[in-house]
């Protein structure tokens, strides 16, 4: 469900601004996590006991590919290396953010969490654009 939400958001948000892309990925992720908020911690523990690392890696890879495809369609907002940027965003989604979610995601503070994560992703994509604009091209 989570990877499907990210894939759908990425497919639906090609050819939009980088800020809109960042917001779409965050919104899709959090919406899917909130839909599973009561069962997600239990599923995570069971999955770890069953050794589901290959399944988690497959889901992360699918998300990475979807994010990369969306970034490649960004036009002027396209990062210099969409693959590495997609890997970094995916690492945040599947690495850091899940630990953050159970502690802060409630209906009351879900909007603020979405705002903060969106700012984080938008800032990262903006930094990539700025880096591209200021890095001299080697010949």
């Amino acid at each position: 469900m989570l990877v499907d939400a990210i894939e759908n958001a990425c497919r639906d948000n090609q050819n939009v601004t980088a800020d809109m892309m960042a917001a779409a990925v965050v919104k899709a992720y959090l919406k899917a996590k909130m839909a599973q908020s009561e069962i997600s911690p239990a599923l995570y523990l069971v999955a770890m006991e069953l050794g589901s690392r290959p399944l988690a890696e497959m889901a992360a890879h699918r998300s990475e590919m979807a994010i990369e495809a969306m970034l490649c369609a960004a036009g002027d907002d396209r990062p210099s290396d969409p693959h590495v940027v997609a890997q970094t965003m995916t690492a945040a989604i599947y690495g850091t953010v899940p630990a953050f979610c159970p502690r802060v995601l409630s209906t009351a503070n879900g909007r603020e969490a979405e705002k903060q994560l969106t700012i984080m992703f938008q800032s990262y994509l903006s930094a990539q654009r700025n880096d591209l604009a200021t890095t001299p091209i080697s010949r």
Side-chain angles (χ1 to χ4, degrees):
M1 179 171 181
L2 177 59
V3 69
D4 293 330
I6 292 171
E7 286 176 330
N8 290 338
C10 290
R11 184 181 52 252
D12 294 346
N13 285 281
Q14 293 189 0
N15 300 311
V16 300
T17 67
D19 283 352
M20 293 171 70
M21 290 178 180
V25 170
V26 169
K27 184 179 274 310
Y29 177 84
L30 292 177
K31 185 176 178 181
K33 289 300 270 183
M34 290 302 289
Q36 302 171 347
S37 64
E38 291 184 17
I39 59 169
S40 191
L43 289 175
Y44 179 78
L45 292 174
V46 169
M48 292 301 106
E49 284 190 28
L50 295 176
S52 65
R53 185 170 181 86
L55 186 59
E57 287 176 359
M58 182 190 71
H61 181 70
R62 282 178 52 193
S63 294
E64 178 185 309
M65 298 302 292
I67 292 169
E68 182 178 357
M70 178 180 66
L71 293 171
C72 284
D76 290 345
D77 282 345
R78 185 177 191 261
S80 61
D81 192 338
H83 180 71
V84 172
V85 173
Q87 284 179 321
T88 304
M89 290 175 70
T90 302
I93 290 172
Y94 285 90
T96 306
V97 177
F100 160 82
C101 286
R103 291 181 291 155
V104 299
L105 287 188
S106 66
T107 305
N109 60 12
R111 283 186 212 43
E112 185 61 24
E114 180 179 339
K115 176 183 169 188
Q116 295 303 318
L117 289 170
T118 299
I119 290 169
M120 181 178 81
F121 277 51
Q122 288 173 338
S123 298
Y124 176 62
L125 291 176
S126 177
Q128 291 300 308
R129 288 192 311 273
N130 291 338
D131 184 50
L132 180 61
T134 60
T135 303
I137 298 173
S138 302
R139 293 193 191 244

